[in-house]
Amino acid sequence: MLAAGSPELVYIISENGLAPVFKENHVDVYLAGHDHDMEHLRKDGVEYVICGASGAELRKPGRTQPESIFHATTYGFAEFTIDDQRLAFRFYDADLHSLEDPEPVVRK
């Protein structure tokens, strides 16, 4: 559904999209699946984690958003560790190599 630089992602993180709702409701993380790429963005205290690239044809983004911290156009997945104090996640490629360092962490 979402891709780096896609109109959908630009809309979601815009002031006309879901960003104001996330801010008003103190949302920490927005997690979405996608089948062409992986991306981590940060805007107004919300971590946007686009996890996918698991089978469809890979495609390069039209443009990368300024809020983009990490982007990969490779097959892979994300691993999440969640407890009552934090949520940590790490992207891996299909060969199990870690792609984003250091591991992003969201604390309560």
Side-chain angles (χ1 to χ4, degrees), residues 23-46:
K23 189 173 183 178
E24 180 180 323
N25 292 285
H26 308 286
V27 170
D28 297 316
V29 178
Y30 171 84
L31 174 62
H34 186 60
D35 58 356
H36 295 287
D37 63 0
M38 298 178 272
E39 188 166 13
H40 173 206
L41 301 99
R42 182 178 298 131
K43 182 176 181 184
D44 296 331
V46 179

PDB file of all heavy atoms in Angstrom, residues 23-46:
ATOM      1  N   LYS A  23      -0.840  12.682  16.338  1.00  0.00           N
ATOM      2  CA  LYS A  23      -0.299  13.621  17.323  1.00  0.00           C
ATOM      3  C   LYS A  23      -1.290  13.852  18.459  1.00  0.00           C
ATOM      4  O   LYS A  23      -0.931  13.806  19.631  1.00  0.00           O
ATOM      5  CB  LYS A  23       0.053  14.939  16.627  1.00  0.00           C
ATOM      6  CG  LYS A  23       0.805  15.907  17.491  1.00  0.00           C
ATOM      7  CD  LYS A  23       1.247  17.104  16.680  1.00  0.00           C
ATOM      8  CE  LYS A  23       2.062  18.053  17.518  1.00  0.00           C
ATOM      9  NZ  LYS A  23       2.538  19.190  16.729  1.00  0.00           N
ATOM     10  N   GLU A  24      -2.547  14.084  18.111  1.00  0.00           N
ATOM     11  CA  GLU A  24      -3.592  14.341  19.112  1.00  0.00           C
ATOM     12  C   GLU A  24      -3.789  13.155  20.047  1.00  0.00           C
ATOM     13  O   GLU A  24      -4.097  13.332  21.226  1.00  0.00           O
ATOM     14  CB  GLU A  24      -4.899  14.656  18.394  1.00  0.00           C
ATOM     15  CG  GLU A  24      -6.069  14.937  19.314  1.00  0.00           C
ATOM     16  CD  GLU A  24      -7.341  15.236  18.538  1.00  0.00           C
ATOM     17  OE1 GLU A  24      -7.259  15.883  17.481  1.00  0.00           O
ATOM     18  OE2 GLU A  24      -8.411  14.819  19.009  1.00  0.00           O
ATOM     19  N   ASN A  25      -3.600  11.941  19.534  1.00  0.00           N
ATOM     20  CA  ASN A  25      -3.840  10.734  20.326  1.00  0.00           C
ATOM     21  C   ASN A  25      -2.559  10.094  20.849  1.00  0.00           C
ATOM     22  O   ASN A  25      -2.577   8.962  21.307  1.00  0.00           O
ATOM     23  CB  ASN A  25      -4.657   9.735  19.504  1.00  0.00           C
ATOM     24  CG  ASN A  25      -6.056  10.243  19.283  1.00  0.00           C
ATOM     25  OD1 ASN A  25      -6.870  10.213  20.200  1.00  0.00           O
ATOM     26  ND2 ASN A  25      -6.351  10.749  18.097  1.00  0.00           N
ATOM     27  N   HIS A  26      -1.449  10.814  20.749  1.00  0.00           N
ATOM     28  CA  HIS A  26      -0.161  10.380  21.296  1.00  0.00           C
ATOM     29  C   HIS A  26       0.279   9.022  20.749  1.00  0.00           C
ATOM     30  O   HIS A  26       0.754   8.164  21.484  1.00  0.00           O
ATOM     31  CB  HIS A  26      -0.212  10.349  22.830  1.00  0.00           C
ATOM     32  CG  HIS A  26      -0.713  11.632  23.410  1.00  0.00           C
ATOM     33  ND1 HIS A  26       0.046  12.774  23.441  1.00  0.00           N
ATOM     34  CD2 HIS A  26      -1.921  11.954  23.944  1.00  0.00           C
ATOM     35  CE1 HIS A  26      -0.663  13.749  23.985  1.00  0.00           C
ATOM     36  NE2 HIS A  26      -1.858  13.289  24.287  1.00  0.00           N
ATOM     37  N   VAL A  27       0.118   8.852  19.437  1.00  0.00           N
ATOM     38  CA  VAL A  27       0.556   7.625  18.775  1.00  0.00           C
ATOM     39  C   VAL A  27       2.083   7.639  18.694  1.00  0.00           C
ATOM     40  O   VAL A  27       2.683   8.639  18.319  1.00  0.00           O
ATOM     41  CB  VAL A  27      -0.063   7.521  17.362  1.00  0.00           C
ATOM     42  CG1 VAL A  27       0.556   6.383  16.568  1.00  0.00           C
ATOM     43  CG2 VAL A  27      -1.572   7.352  17.472  1.00  0.00           C
ATOM     44  N   ASP A  28       2.711   6.542  19.081  1.00  0.00           N
ATOM     45  CA  ASP A  28       4.165   6.426  19.035  1.00  0.00           C
ATOM     46  C   ASP A  28       4.663   5.819  17.729  1.00  0.00           C
ATOM     47  O   ASP A  28       5.690   6.226  17.204  1.00  0.00           O
ATOM     48  CB  ASP A  28       4.678   5.570  20.192  1.00  0.00           C
ATOM     49  CG  ASP A  28       4.392   6.183  21.541  1.00  0.00           C
ATOM     50  OD1 ASP A  28       4.602   7.405  21.691  1.00  0.00           O
ATOM     51  OD2 ASP A  28       3.945   5.456  22.430  1.00  0.00           O
ATOM     52  N   VAL A  29       3.939   4.802  17.232  1.00  0.00           N
ATOM     53  CA  VAL A  29       4.418   4.043  16.070  1.00  0.00           C
ATOM     54  C   VAL A  29       3.256   3.759  15.121  1.00  0.00           C
ATOM     55  O   VAL A  29       2.172   3.365  15.550  1.00  0.00           O
ATOM     56  CB  VAL A  29       5.036   2.694  16.507  1.00  0.00           C
ATOM     57  CG1 VAL A  29       5.475   1.883  15.299  1.00  0.00           C
ATOM     58  CG2 VAL A  29       6.187   2.910  17.454  1.00  0.00           C
ATOM     59  N   TYR A  30       3.517   3.974  13.836  1.00  0.00           N
ATOM     60  CA  TYR A  30       2.600   3.585  12.777  1.00  0.00           C
ATOM     61  C   TYR A  30       3.299   2.479  11.998  1.00  0.00           C
ATOM     62  O   TYR A  30       4.396   2.676  11.481  1.00  0.00           O
ATOM     63  CB  TYR A  30       2.307   4.785  11.867  1.00  0.00           C
ATOM     64  CG  TYR A  30       1.541   4.438  10.615  1.00  0.00           C
ATOM     65  CD1 TYR A  30       0.153   4.346  10.630  1.00  0.00           C
ATOM     66  CD2 TYR A  30       2.206   4.217   9.417  1.00  0.00           C
ATOM     67  CE1 TYR A  30      -0.552   4.044   9.474  1.00  0.00           C
ATOM     68  CE2 TYR A  30       1.507   3.912   8.256  1.00  0.00           C
ATOM     69  CZ  TYR A  30       0.131   3.827   8.292  1.00  0.00           C
ATOM     70  OH  TYR A  30      -0.561   3.527   7.156  1.00  0.00           O
ATOM     71  N   LEU A  31       2.679   1.311  11.945  1.00  0.00           N
ATOM     72  CA  LEU A  31       3.275   0.154  11.285  1.00  0.00           C
ATOM     73  C   LEU A  31       2.407  -0.242  10.100  1.00  0.00           C
ATOM     74  O   LEU A  31       1.196  -0.411  10.247  1.00  0.00           O
ATOM     75  CB  LEU A  31       3.377  -1.008  12.271  1.00  0.00           C
ATOM     76  CG  LEU A  31       3.848  -2.344  11.730  1.00  0.00           C
ATOM     77  CD1 LEU A  31       5.259  -2.232  11.174  1.00  0.00           C
ATOM     78  CD2 LEU A  31       3.779  -3.392  12.818  1.00  0.00           C
ATOM     79  N   ALA A  32       3.041  -0.358   8.929  1.00  0.00           N
ATOM     80  CA  ALA A  32       2.312  -0.761   7.732  1.00  0.00           C
ATOM     81  C   ALA A  32       3.120  -1.791   6.963  1.00  0.00           C
ATOM     82  O   ALA A  32       4.347  -1.753   6.950  1.00  0.00           O
ATOM     83  CB  ALA A  32       2.047   0.453   6.842  1.00  0.00           C
ATOM     84  N   GLY A  33       2.431  -2.693   6.335  1.00  0.00           N
ATOM     85  CA  GLY A  33       3.069  -3.661   5.459  1.00  0.00           C
ATOM     86  C   GLY A  33       3.158  -3.111   4.043  1.00  0.00           C
ATOM     87  O   GLY A  33       2.414  -2.207   3.663  1.00  0.00           O
ATOM     88  N   HIS A  34       4.090  -3.632   3.292  1.00  0.00           N
ATOM     89  CA  HIS A  34       4.257  -3.217   1.904  1.00  0.00           C
ATOM     90  C   HIS A  34       5.033  -4.315   1.182  1.00  0.00           C
ATOM     91  O   HIS A  34       5.800  -5.032   1.808  1.00  0.00           O
ATOM     92  CB  HIS A  34       5.013  -1.883   1.832  1.00  0.00           C
ATOM     93  CG  HIS A  34       5.100  -1.337   0.449  1.00  0.00           C
ATOM     94  ND1 HIS A  34       3.989  -1.036  -0.287  1.00  0.00           N
ATOM     95  CD2 HIS A  34       6.160  -1.063  -0.328  1.00  0.00           C
ATOM     96  CE1 HIS A  34       4.366  -0.580  -1.471  1.00  0.00           C
ATOM     97  NE2 HIS A  34       5.681  -0.593  -1.524  1.00  0.00           N
ATOM     98  N   ASP A  35       4.845  -4.433  -0.102  1.00  0.00           N
ATOM     99  CA  ASP A  35       5.498  -5.543  -0.799  1.00  0.00           C
ATOM    100  C   ASP A  35       6.596  -5.130  -1.769  1.00  0.00           C
ATOM    101  O   ASP A  35       7.119  -5.965  -2.486  1.00  0.00           O
ATOM    102  CB  ASP A  35       4.462  -6.402  -1.519  1.00  0.00           C
ATOM    103  CG  ASP A  35       3.630  -5.620  -2.518  1.00  0.00           C
ATOM    104  OD1 ASP A  35       3.805  -4.391  -2.611  1.00  0.00           O
ATOM    105  OD2 ASP A  35       2.797  -6.238  -3.192  1.00  0.00           O
ATOM    106  N   HIS A  36       6.981  -3.851  -1.800  1.00  0.00           N
ATOM    107  CA  HIS A  36       8.023  -3.417  -2.732  1.00  0.00           C
ATOM    108  C   HIS A  36       9.297  -2.907  -2.069  1.00  0.00           C
ATOM    109  O   HIS A  36      10.334  -2.849  -2.704  1.00  0.00           O
ATOM    110  CB  HIS A  36       7.499  -2.308  -3.656  1.00  0.00           C
ATOM    111  CG  HIS A  36       6.417  -2.750  -4.567  1.00  0.00           C
ATOM    112  ND1 HIS A  36       6.624  -3.559  -5.651  1.00  0.00           N
ATOM    113  CD2 HIS A  36       5.084  -2.507  -4.541  1.00  0.00           C
ATOM    114  CE1 HIS A  36       5.485  -3.786  -6.265  1.00  0.00           C
ATOM    115  NE2 HIS A  36       4.535  -3.167  -5.611  1.00  0.00           N
ATOM    116  N   ASP A  37       9.219  -2.453  -0.833  1.00  0.00           N
ATOM    117  CA  ASP A  37      10.396  -1.869  -0.180  1.00  0.00           C
ATOM    118  C   ASP A  37      10.173  -1.757   1.323  1.00  0.00           C
ATOM    119  O   ASP A  37       9.134  -2.161   1.831  1.00  0.00           O
ATOM    120  CB  ASP A  37      10.754  -0.499  -0.775  1.00  0.00           C
ATOM    121  CG  ASP A  37       9.666   0.541  -0.587  1.00  0.00           C
ATOM    122  OD1 ASP A  37       8.618   0.223   0.001  1.00  0.00           O
ATOM    123  OD2 ASP A  37       9.867   1.681  -1.013  1.00  0.00           O
ATOM    124  N   MET A  38      11.176  -1.225   2.025  1.00  0.00           N
ATOM    125  CA  MET A  38      11.114  -1.016   3.472  1.00  0.00           C
ATOM    126  C   MET A  38      11.544   0.414   3.758  1.00  0.00           C
ATOM    127  O   MET A  38      12.419   0.942   3.076  1.00  0.00           O
ATOM    128  CB  MET A  38      12.072  -1.965   4.194  1.00  0.00           C
ATOM    129  CG  MET A  38      11.760  -3.425   3.990  1.00  0.00           C
ATOM    130  SD  MET A  38      12.963  -4.485   4.811  1.00  0.00           S
ATOM    131  CE  MET A  38      14.192  -4.626   3.525  1.00  0.00           C
ATOM    132  N   GLU A  39      10.933   1.009   4.791  1.00  0.00           N
ATOM    133  CA  GLU A  39      11.313   2.372   5.118  1.00  0.00           C
ATOM    134  C   GLU A  39      11.002   2.675   6.584  1.00  0.00           C
ATOM    135  O   GLU A  39      10.066   2.133   7.164  1.00  0.00           O
ATOM    136  CB  GLU A  39      10.575   3.373   4.226  1.00  0.00           C
ATOM    137  CG  GLU A  39      11.067   4.783   4.393  1.00  0.00           C
ATOM    138  CD  GLU A  39      10.600   5.734   3.308  1.00  0.00           C
ATOM    139  OE1 GLU A  39       9.693   5.368   2.538  1.00  0.00           O
ATOM    140  OE2 GLU A  39      11.155   6.838   3.223  1.00  0.00           O
ATOM    141  N   HIS A  40      11.804   3.556   7.163  1.00  0.00           N
ATOM    142  CA  HIS A  40      11.596   4.081   8.516  1.00  0.00           C
ATOM    143  C   HIS A  40      11.619   5.597   8.411  1.00  0.00           C
ATOM    144  O   HIS A  40      12.595   6.168   7.927  1.00  0.00           O
ATOM    145  CB  HIS A  40      12.701   3.573   9.449  1.00  0.00           C
ATOM    146  CG  HIS A  40      12.666   4.180  10.809  1.00  0.00           C
ATOM    147  ND1 HIS A  40      13.790   4.282  11.585  1.00  0.00           N
ATOM    148  CD2 HIS A  40      11.665   4.716  11.537  1.00  0.00           C
ATOM    149  CE1 HIS A  40      13.476   4.853  12.737  1.00  0.00           C
ATOM    150  NE2 HIS A  40      12.188   5.138  12.730  1.00  0.00           N
ATOM    151  N   LEU A  41      10.539   6.229   8.853  1.00  0.00           N
ATOM    152  CA  LEU A  41      10.442   7.681   8.861  1.00  0.00           C
ATOM    153  C   LEU A  41      10.124   8.150  10.275  1.00  0.00           C
ATOM    154  O   LEU A  41       9.566   7.401  11.073  1.00  0.00           O
ATOM    155  CB  LEU A  41       9.325   8.168   7.932  1.00  0.00           C
ATOM    156  CG  LEU A  41       9.446   7.776   6.468  1.00  0.00           C
ATOM    157  CD1 LEU A  41       8.576   6.581   6.174  1.00  0.00           C
ATOM    158  CD2 LEU A  41       9.083   8.928   5.586  1.00  0.00           C
ATOM    159  N   ARG A  42      10.458   9.394  10.563  1.00  0.00           N
ATOM    160  CA  ARG A  42      10.125   9.990  11.862  1.00  0.00           C
ATOM    161  C   ARG A  42       9.609  11.397  11.609  1.00  0.00           C
ATOM    162  O   ARG A  42      10.248  12.200  10.943  1.00  0.00           O
ATOM    163  CB  ARG A  42      11.344  10.038  12.761  1.00  0.00           C
ATOM    164  CG  ARG A  42      11.052  10.601  14.147  1.00  0.00           C
ATOM    165  CD  ARG A  42      12.282  10.591  15.038  1.00  0.00           C
ATOM    166  NE  ARG A  42      12.746   9.230  15.253  1.00  0.00           N
ATOM    167  CZ  ARG A  42      14.027   8.846  15.100  1.00  0.00           C
ATOM    168  NH1 ARG A  42      14.956   9.705  14.746  1.00  0.00           N
ATOM    169  NH2 ARG A  42      14.363   7.590  15.321  1.00  0.00           N
ATOM    170  N   LYS A  43       8.423  11.674  12.152  1.00  0.00           N
ATOM    171  CA  LYS A  43       7.862  13.023  12.023  1.00  0.00           C
ATOM    172  C   LYS A  43       7.005  13.325  13.243  1.00  0.00           C
ATOM    173  O   LYS A  43       6.136  12.522  13.607  1.00  0.00           O
ATOM    174  CB  LYS A  43       7.013  13.151  10.763  1.00  0.00           C
ATOM    175  CG  LYS A  43       6.461  14.553  10.593  1.00  0.00           C
ATOM    176  CD  LYS A  43       5.696  14.724   9.323  1.00  0.00           C
ATOM    177  CE  LYS A  43       5.212  16.177   9.250  1.00  0.00           C
ATOM    178  NZ  LYS A  43       4.392  16.412   8.096  1.00  0.00           N
ATOM    179  N   ASP A  44       7.253  14.452  13.867  1.00  0.00           N
ATOM    180  CA  ASP A  44       6.466  14.923  15.014  1.00  0.00           C
ATOM    181  C   ASP A  44       6.345  13.869  16.111  1.00  0.00           C
ATOM    182  O   ASP A  44       5.284  13.693  16.703  1.00  0.00           O
ATOM    183  CB  ASP A  44       5.067  15.361  14.561  1.00  0.00           C
ATOM    184  CG  ASP A  44       5.110  16.558  13.622  1.00  0.00           C
ATOM    185  OD1 ASP A  44       6.057  17.364  13.740  1.00  0.00           O
ATOM    186  OD2 ASP A  44       4.213  16.671  12.773  1.00  0.00           O
ATOM    187  N   GLY A  45       7.437  13.153  16.362  1.00  0.00           N
ATOM    188  CA  GLY A  45       7.454  12.179  17.444  1.00  0.00           C
ATOM    189  C   GLY A  45       6.840  10.832  17.121  1.00  0.00           C
ATOM    190  O   GLY A  45       6.752   9.962  17.985  1.00  0.00           O
ATOM    191  N   VAL A  46       6.387  10.641  15.892  1.00  0.00           N
ATOM    192  CA  VAL A  46       5.807   9.360  15.480  1.00  0.00           C
ATOM    193  C   VAL A  46       6.813   8.630  14.589  1.00  0.00           C
ATOM    194  O   VAL A  46       7.378   9.218  13.671  1.00  0.00           O
ATOM    195  CB  VAL A  46       4.483   9.548  14.709  1.00  0.00           C
ATOM    196  CG1 VAL A  46       3.914   8.205  14.261  1.00  0.00           C
ATOM    197  CG2 VAL A  46       3.467  10.298  15.551  1.00  0.00           C
TER     198      VAL A  46
END
